[in-house]
DNA sequence: ATAAGGATTCCACTTGCTGGAAGGTCAAGA
DNA sequence: TCTTGACCTTCCAGCAAGTGGAATCCTTAT
């Protein structure tokens, strides 16, 4: 299979597939003409990667998952640990976004959104209270 | 004020402040020794930027907000539009993360997490169904 | 005089690709 | 046979939003 076929069948752009080879996630063979020659196993790995990435796993997580996937003597605990850590990161991110959402939706609701210059959004951003401490959350 | 003072008072790292100057968000004066010399107005802008960034606004959004902030004849509608668009992006991101979270938490719950190799997480990632179409969501 | 603690610049690196340029290859049609 | 067009190749540059480090300069105090 050439890269175009694999791209269509895996749903990943050819550029991305080349990139995955460059960073060592896959190692397709090469034909006499220099073209990459993908085996079924390469296609499977790419599909695996596409699904893992769509769940938000980082490339390094994907590298680890792929290694475990190929290791018949793996422990499912190792897989679960990676997934759980990722799940925690997702939860933290959701919380962070929800905090932003809370603040911002209040401000948006309070803004008239007309031709006048008065704007609670700008007033809030301009408020000169204490400098934010690292990791501090502003009021919601 | 030197950059160290401004960093302490704005809560932003000096590196970030230099970067903000480089991309034209602020334009502090320079002393005879080549040191940046920050006015109160620069400090206020940096605090403004810090708060806007902490609400997740992109640098380009911040540039626009800062411009409106400085424009006495602004229309609050322009501010509100920027904020609303950002709010929509936040909502979309939250939904995306919640979808990931749903899938992943099911998989994590189904995984024994012991020394055996059987793992529903890997099985799911390895599933060879149709290639994902652009924008498609996998089942939750 | 010298050492510490600031300040300066510049360059490289991060994540995960994406775009484009310049060129080689291959199969089909006139 | 030639050419066209669709592939493929590599390499270089860039996105966001900084962060880290090196080499060097300035200031202040001992």
């Amino acid at each position: 299979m050439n890269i175009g076929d694999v791209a269509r069948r895996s749903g990943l752009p050819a550029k991305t597939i080349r990139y995955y080879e460059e960073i060592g996630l896959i190692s397709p063979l090469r034909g006499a003409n220099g073209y990459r020659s993908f085996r079924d196993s390469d296609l499977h790995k790419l599909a695996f990667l596409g699904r893992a990435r769509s769940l938000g796993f980082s490339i390094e997580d994907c590298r680890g998952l792929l290694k475990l996937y190929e290791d018949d003597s793996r422990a499912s605990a190792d897989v679960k640990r990676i997934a759980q850590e990722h799940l925690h990161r997702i939860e933290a991110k959701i919380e962070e976004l929800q905090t932003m959402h809370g603040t911002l939706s209040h401000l948006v609701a309070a803004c008239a959104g007309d031709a006048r210059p008065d704007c609670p959004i700008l007033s809030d951003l301009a408020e000169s209270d204490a400098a934010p401490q690292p990791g501090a959350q502003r009021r919601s």
Side-chain angles (χ1 to χ4, degrees), chain A:
Chain A
M1 271 179 289
N2 282 348
I3 200 169
D5 305 310
V6 183
R8 266 183 299 279
R9 293 166 69 169
S10 68
L12 295 172
K15 280 270 185 189
T16 299
I17 297 172
R18 290 192 194 100
Y19 173 67
Y20 286 174
E21 180 187 17
E22 191 187 320
I23 63 175
L25 287 178
I26 53 164
S27 299
L29 303 175
R30 293 290 177 140
N33 55 10
Y35 286 18
R36 287 171 185 81
S37 177
F38 294 84
R39 292 151 291 188
D40 277 355
S41 63
D42 296 314
L43 176 56
H44 289 145
K45 282 197 209 177
L46 287 168
F48 182 100
L49 289 168
R51 283 188 280 262
R53 293 287 299 132
S54 82
L55 286 178
F57 284 105
S58 72
I59 290 288
E60 285 317 302
D61 279 349
C62 288
R63 197 187 298 278
L65 290 171
L66 206 49
K67 199 146 162 279
L68 288 167
Y69 176 56
E70 311 240 279
D71 175 8
D72 287 339
S73 71
R74 69 187 164 245
S76 68
D78 292 337
V79 182
K80 187 168 184 170
R81 188 183 37 73
I82 293 176
Q84 252 169 347
E85 282 170 9
H86 179 43
L87 202 48
H88 291 328
R89 282 191 296 271
I90 288 175
E91 283 162 7
K93 190 72 190 174
I94 288 176
E95 273 193 46
E96 186 191 345
L97 288 172
Q98 278 172 342
T99 300
M100 290 178 186
H101 187 276
T103 306
L104 206 50
S105 57
H106 280 315
L107 292 175
V108 164
C111 175
D114 56 19
R116 287 171 300 163
D118 317 81
C119 177
I121 303 170
L122 291 183
S123 307
D124 186 272
L125 291 174
E127 241 166 51
S128 49
D129 48 12
Q133 296 314 306
Q137 296 290 342
R138 306 187 66 217
R139 76 196 168 296
S140 69

